[in-house]
Amino acid sequence: GENVEQHPSTLSVQEGDSAVIKCTYSDSASNYFPWYKQELGKRPQLIIDIRSNVGEKKDQRIAVTLNKTAKHFSLHITETQPEDSAVYFCAATSSTSGTYKYIFGTGTRLKVLA
Amino acid sequence: GAVVSQHPSWVICKSGTSVKIECRSLDFQATTMFWYRQFPKQSLMLMATSNEGSKATYEQGVEKDKFLINHASLTLSTLTVTSAHPEDSSFYICSAGRDRYNSPLHFGNGTRLTVT
């Protein structure tokens, strides 16, 4: 079945440094790749997304890159701040017979050290 | 926009009882909603896809008779955990999108279920 792998599972960086989280997906038909941030006890919040017709997208300190050939996409956070500490999930959509679903990666626990 | 409300936020029930969780899209219509289960420090595991006016599509390994899903209207989906047992204790979270396969999912606040 469809699968999304995410690495690393945990990541610690010093404040001000960059953080990179990588995901690979199995369904070559996937065409939408969102990233979510989840703080403890709260709902996941969309932070950035990318569609398959674009290779890169940036929003202030956050950027996402997509390599459709290799079926992987990455989240880049620059100038990290303590409030960036959270669990980050990547996802890929998969569509079969007119229905669609979102498959999530296993999550990355990011800790930004002050 | 795109607000999803989930109720209750937490519930404690006795083993053998049933619990209903509601998920509402407040400012948009969602013909499709998704139900996830999340264990502590783990990812979001898709349980089922809820389709308005038709039967839910369950993921492999999810018991249909245990996790009853009803999607009676374009803004409401319910998940009923029947005959709950302690192993059903978990964080259940619903989500909805604007029915395009390349649009963001918006999540409810989640429901923490504890079965004693």
Side-chain angles (χ1 to χ4, degrees), chain B residues 5-26:
Chain B
S5 173
Q6 187 173 342
H7 179 81
S9 299
W10 57 270
V11 57
I12 301 172
C13 70
K14 291 186 177 181
S15 189
T17 60
S18 295
V19 174
K20 180 185 281 189
I21 303 169
E22 292 188 350
C23 181
R24 294 180 184 271
S25 56
L26 298 184

Side-chain angles (χ1 to χ4, degrees), chain A residues 7-111:
Chain A
H7 299 281
S9 56
T10 60
L11 179 61
S12 292
V13 298
Q14 288 294 135
E15 182 178 359
D17 287 350
S18 296
V20 180
I21 303 171
K22 298 181 179 181
C23 288
T24 58
Y25 59 98
S26 60
D27 186 352
S28 57
S30 295
N31 57 13
Y32 177 66
F33 309 91
W35 285 89
Y36 288 84
K37 175 184 180 182
Q38 187 179 27
E39 297 178 18
L40 190 62
K42 296 187 177 180
R43 74 180 89 190
Q45 297 275 13
L46 178 74
I47 56 171
I48 195 167
D49 58 9
I50 191 168
R51 293 178 173 81
S52 59
N53 58 344
V54 176
E56 185 174 356
K57 183 177 178 180
K58 189 174 181 180
D59 182 4
Q60 299 183 1
R61 297 187 297 110
I62 296 173
V64 57
T65 58
L66 170 64
N67 184 328
K68 284 217 73 180
T69 303
K71 291 192 285 188
H72 67 69
F73 55 113
S74 301
L75 177 71
H76 305 253
I77 306 174
T78 59
E79 300 172 29
T80 54
Q81 301 167 3
E83 51 266 36
D84 294 330
S85 297
V87 179
Y88 291 80
F89 293 100
C90 63
T93 56
S94 181
S95 178
T96 305
S97 301
T99 64
Y100 68 101
K101 56 186 176 182
Y102 296 70
I103 306 299
F104 282 82
T106 47
T108 296
R109 187 170 299 276
L110 174 65
K111 186 178 292 185

